[in-house]
Amino acid sequence: MLRIENLQKNFGAVKALRDASLKLEKGEIRALLGANGSGKSTLVKVLSGLNRKDGGRIFLNETDIQISSPAVSKKYGIAMAYQDLSLIPELSLEENLVLGSEPGTSWGSLRKNQIREYAEKMIEVLGIQAAPDTQVKEMDLSNQGLAEVAKAMYTKPQILILDEITASMHHDQVERLFTYLKREREKGMSILYVSHRFEEVYAFCETATILRGGISVKEVCLKETAPDRLVYYMTGEETKRESPDTPLCADEERKLLLQVENLTVGRQVKKVSLRLREGEIIGIAGLQGQGQSEFLRALYGVCAYQGGRILLAGEEMKIRSPKDAVKRGIGFISGDREKEEIFPVRNVAENLLIVEHAMKSLFSYHPASKCRKAALDIMDRLQIVASGTQAQADSLSGGNQQKLVVGRWLSRSPRLLLLDDPTKGVDVAARGEINRLFQEMTSSGTAIIYSSSDNDELLEIAQKIYVFYEGEIVKELTGQELNGESLARAMLGVTEEVPGDE
């Protein structure tokens, strides 16, 4: 059905695609895999008409086609749900779902009943938690992601491309989405799925094409390929199974750093209490919207809290702003790079040193040579791939952008680091590198609260997991309880064994 041969795309001196090839049959669900910077997003943007190819050929049903714009891509029956979302925040959900393909009458007016009917159908099918007339900016990221898919499906495409669309979704939402899309596949639709979540790739896809350095290096049948081999094809390196260099010390040997007592944040967080020791990593788990993000942001001074106490090293704190938090040695990293972390049109050095500069006097002098050296040191330590310290941040791959966010906290050595899904949308290799950095930081005493939408990631890195359900901590998992089954139960509010489950 779709065949790509020797695709090439350059951005100045950077060769994003060198020799990319891919086949997608009718009714096939194929994964497109690769490390950050491998060319995945560039390839799908060529197919969607956002980027024009510099070489190679694209065939649709054996016809050589030229995709020069999103409108032309849509004409060929290709639709794409974007990781960065193509929704307009100020418009309603139903307006966004038909944006660019609005049904109209011969008199030029919109068929509002038809628009409302489609919106209500997709809300029910995908479980979107919003009314048709809800402004998109009032919806959380997970529901915006579902709306992005619903928008792509409005044109009834032959080929649907999903670019990291599940990065902000939780397991229940992903399962419902996959069930819907598999039904559409049975009707003949083909799907190209870009994701870093191997669990989803194996659950949803049958085959995979793997890119490395802008080149297609392998096509595999997923049933016959182990995850370790996928990592090898993506990176060119065998998977290393290493334990942390610094052994974890017993709780009683660590000093108590943070005490949270009965913290209440609006209606989202209800009398939450927890304790954290120096050098410890604790996890926060829960389905989407159970209060995890609001809890972390209250500790960082972004969300006001209405009750409870926060004590750092035994001293009660009133944190009214992020600047208050940073002064007390608290750092924060969000996985929502575009909205909360990266300054896209600023350069690499500015992004890496923003915290340092923000905490100094307004009239402080920052010598260019000193800033460049500091930025280069961090780039070298984190192995950030960029053309230099002056490269614009949005020219970097997603994984390297997230390393910029991590890098800005390295020089400050925070006492407490708050992480809200920090590796969202980052490939497996970069995720491992970033999490190793977090573990290194704990060896110097930094304590970490780690919230993640990926249960396996939490189980790998956390020594204790607090599970949020409807704004409360319903379970504290330690020791042998740190397993997938116990975690999944607690996330659904089931905190005791159910008779007959054995």
Side-chain angles (χ1 to χ4, degrees):
M1 184 182 188
L2 176 72
R3 189 169 85 253
I4 298 171
E5 294 181 353
N6 312 116
L7 202 65
Q8 299 162 39
K9 177 62 185 176
N10 305 324
F11 295 99
V14 177
K15 296 183 181 296
L17 293 174
R18 301 168 183 265
D19 183 9
S21 299
L22 178 148
K23 290 181 182 178
L24 182 66
E25 302 295 340
K26 184 176 181 179
E28 180 184 9
I29 304 178
R30 176 174 288 268
L32 180 61
L33 306 176
N36 285 108
S38 62
K40 305 184 302 298
S41 290
T42 302
L43 187 151
V44 296
K45 285 178 180 177
V46 168
L47 290 177
S48 70
L50 287 179
N51 291 334
R52 290 197 183 192
K53 63 184 176 67
D54 294 319
R57 305 173 76 183
I58 302 172
F59 296 88
L60 184 63
N61 298 323
E62 300 306 320
T63 301
D64 192 344
I65 64 173
Q66 300 296 322
I67 302 176
S68 56
S69 69
V72 172
S73 178
K74 187 186 295 185
K75 184 188 74 172
Y76 285 123
I78 301 171
M80 180 165 164
Y82 296 89
Q83 176 185 7
D84 297 334
L85 303 181
S86 61
L87 308 175
I88 307 299
E90 288 73 23
L91 294 183
S92 69
L93 170 60
E94 60 186 351
E95 289 169 329
N96 269 284
L97 296 189
V98 300
L99 195 62
S101 305
E102 296 87 345
T105 66
S106 56
W107 297 281
S109 61
L110 292 177
R111 296 184 184 273
K112 293 185 178 181
N113 289 342
Q114 186 176 333
I115 296 172
R116 176 60 58 93
E117 183 181 338
Y118 180 72
E120 289 176 342
K121 172 191 170 185
M122 297 310 290
I123 287 170
E124 181 179 356
V125 168
L126 296 180
I128 301 172
Q129 296 176 347
D133 58 357
T134 303
Q135 282 188 309
V136 162
K137 66 182 180 182
E138 302 299 328
M139 298 164 56
D140 66 30
L141 276 176
S142 63
N143 284 290
Q144 288 182 24
L146 293 170
E148 180 77 6
V149 176
K151 177 186 174 185
M153 289 298 298
Y154 180 70
T155 58
K156 299 180 180 178
Q158 296 181 61
I159 298 170
L160 176 67
I161 303 171
L162 303 175
D163 184 17
E164 294 285 359
I165 198 63
T166 62
S168 62
M169 298 180 196
H170 282 251
H171 298 285
D172 54 332
Q173 294 171 311
V174 173
E175 286 178 6
R176 189 163 183 166
L177 174 63
F178 285 175
T179 298
Y180 164 69
L181 292 176
K182 284 178 179 178
R183 289 201 301 266
E184 295 301 311
R185 182 273 299 271
E186 290 170 2
K187 300 175 186 176
M189 185 177 73
S190 303
I191 301 173
L192 187 60
Y193 184 68
V194 182
S195 179
H196 294 309
R197 292 180 169 182
F198 279 8
E199 181 182 354
E200 294 178 7
V201 168
Y202 278 93
F204 186 50
C205 305
E206 304 143 340
T207 53
T209 295
I210 299 158
L211 294 180
R212 188 168 74 234
I215 300 170
S216 299
V217 295
K218 195 73 174 177
E219 289 194 352
V220 300
C221 172
L222 288 167
K223 285 183 179 179
E224 301 169 0
T225 310
D228 283 358
R229 297 313 296 165
L230 294 184
V231 175
Y232 171 71
Y233 297 135
M234 288 167 60
T235 65
E237 298 177 1
E238 296 289 352
T239 303
K240 297 179 181 178
R241 300 187 182 277
E242 299 176 345
S243 56
D245 293 334
T246 305
L248 300 173
C249 55
D251 279 350
E252 59 268 18
E253 296 175 3
R254 300 185 176 116
K255 292 181 181 179
L256 186 62
L257 177 70
L258 178 72
Q259 291 171 270
V260 180
E261 299 177 354
N262 298 316
L263 196 70
T264 298
V265 184
R267 290 181 293 179
Q268 291 79 32
V269 180
K270 306 167 187 174
K271 295 186 176 181
V272 164
S273 299
L274 58 76
R275 293 154 64 92
L276 178 67
R277 296 180 180 274
E278 291 180 353
E280 185 180 23
I281 300 178
I282 64 171
I284 290 182
L287 298 177
Q288 179 75 15
Q290 303 301 307
Q292 309 95 300
S293 291
E294 290 81 4
F295 173 72
L296 292 176
R297 282 161 177 75
L299 296 182
Y300 195 57
V302 176
C303 294
Y305 58 94
Q306 289 73 46
R309 298 198 307 162
I310 301 171
L311 292 88
L312 191 68
E315 180 183 348
E316 184 172 358
M317 302 184 300
K318 288 291 184 184
I319 302 174
R320 296 181 175 84
S321 70
K323 190 167 185 177
D324 285 345
V326 175
K327 282 180 178 178
R328 289 168 171 80
I330 301 174
F332 176 85
I333 295 176
S334 168
D336 189 0
R337 293 186 294 274
E338 290 77 16
K339 289 188 176 179
E340 295 188 307
E341 293 290 359
I342 285 293
F343 298 92
V345 298
R346 296 291 185 177
N347 64 41
V348 167
E350 289 171 317
N351 272 275
L352 286 173
L353 303 176
I354 184 63
V355 178
E356 289 295 317
H357 292 173
M359 297 309 295
K360 292 180 179 178
S361 164
L362 181 63
F363 301 103
S364 296
Y365 174 59
H366 308 290
S369 59
K370 187 176 179 181
C371 291
R372 183 175 182 276
K373 184 180 184 307
L376 285 172
D377 287 345
I378 299 173
M379 289 177 68
D380 182 58
R381 182 174 171 187
L382 272 65
Q383 297 182 323
I384 295 172
V385 179
S387 59
T389 60
Q390 298 303 303
Q392 198 163 289
D394 62 4
S395 70
L396 275 62
S397 68
N400 284 295
Q401 287 183 18
Q402 196 65 0
K403 286 182 182 181
L404 289 185
V405 179
V406 176
R408 67 177 56 146
W409 294 106
L410 287 181
S411 60
R412 294 198 65 84
S413 300
R415 302 169 75 185
L416 172 62
L417 189 57
L418 309 171
L419 307 177
D420 189 10
D421 230 351
T423 61
K424 184 174 70 178
V426 173
D427 71 73
V428 64
R431 184 179 77 173
E433 291 174 17
I434 290 170
N435 282 335
R436 277 192 290 275
L437 282 167
F438 293 145
Q439 288 173 325
E440 286 176 17
M441 293 173 77
T442 64
S443 65
S444 60
T446 297
I448 294 176
I449 303 180
Y450 199 125
S451 176
S452 177
S453 57
D454 187 325
N455 289 353
D456 291 337
E457 182 174 45
L458 277 186
L459 290 168
E460 285 173 12
I461 199 168
Q463 293 124 47
K464 180 189 300 179
I465 297 177
Y466 291 94
V467 183
F468 276 61
Y469 184 75
E470 294 186 353
E472 301 179 39
I473 291 178
V474 294
K475 190 76 172 177
E476 178 184 329
L477 300 175
T478 58
Q480 293 186 348
E481 282 191 305
L482 283 172
N483 61 69
E485 183 180 353
S486 296
L487 181 53
R489 280 177 174 275
M491 287 170 62
L492 294 171
V494 181
T495 56
E496 301 296 336
E497 291 293 327
V498 178
D501 264 10
E502 297 175 358

